[in-house]
Amino acid sequence: MADYNSRIKSEQVDGFFEAILQLKNIDECYRFFEDICTVKEVQSIAQRLEVAKLLTLNKTYNEIEKETGASTATISRINRSLNYGVDGYSIVLERLGYEKKDDK
């Protein structure tokens, strides 16, 4: 994969991502993210990933809204990232075993 020129790149962000890469299991992730984020921040990030997963599985906005509680604005923003973003969701979802389903 070619180097990516990020809009958020900085030494602080590099340090943050290096810290995340040091976590070895889910328990360590819980401990770190409970210290560094609010509960709401972690829940919001988790919700966004779940929305991306459901969009990848071709669920409708209504189904996703009911299942996750995400607003249609949030679902739309994530859909835009999936289709026109920098493939961050796609990288993670593929590694988790979710591949983009073709629309029929």
Side-chain angles (χ1 to χ4, degrees):
M1 187 178 285
D3 283 339
Y4 168 63
N5 192 9
S6 173
R7 297 181 314 234
I8 62 171
K9 185 160 181 59
S10 72
E11 284 187 32
Q12 282 185 332
V13 174
D14 284 353
F16 174 62
F17 291 154
E18 285 292 333
I20 291 171
L21 291 170
Q22 300 308 306
L23 300 170
K24 296 194 181 352
N25 55 47
I26 289 177
D27 183 63
E28 288 184 3
C29 288
Y30 271 102
R31 290 168 182 264
F32 179 71
F33 281 96
E34 281 188 45
D35 279 350
I36 202 163
C37 295
T38 66
V39 171
K40 186 68 179 156
E41 287 168 334
V42 173
Q43 289 170 337
S44 292
I45 293 167
Q47 181 190 61
R48 289 180 200 135
L49 183 60
E50 184 66 14
V51 168
K53 179 182 87 175
L54 295 173
L55 284 166
T56 298
L57 297 173
N58 289 329
K59 298 287 185 175
T60 67
Y61 277 32
N62 282 342
E63 291 170 320
I64 295 168
E65 188 176 21
K66 284 179 187 166
E67 191 168 328
T68 67
S71 70
T72 55
T74 295
I75 298 166
S76 179
R77 195 167 44 250
I78 293 165
N79 193 43
R80 209 168 25 257
S81 290
L82 283 169
N83 291 310
Y84 306 108
V86 296
D87 293 329
Y89 282 119
S90 298
I91 291 166
V92 169
L93 291 171
E94 281 180 24
R95 290 180 186 166
L96 289 171
Y98 299 95
E99 294 190 26
K100 184 83 170 145
K101 303 262 191 266
D102 292 329
D103 292 336
K104 294 182 180 180

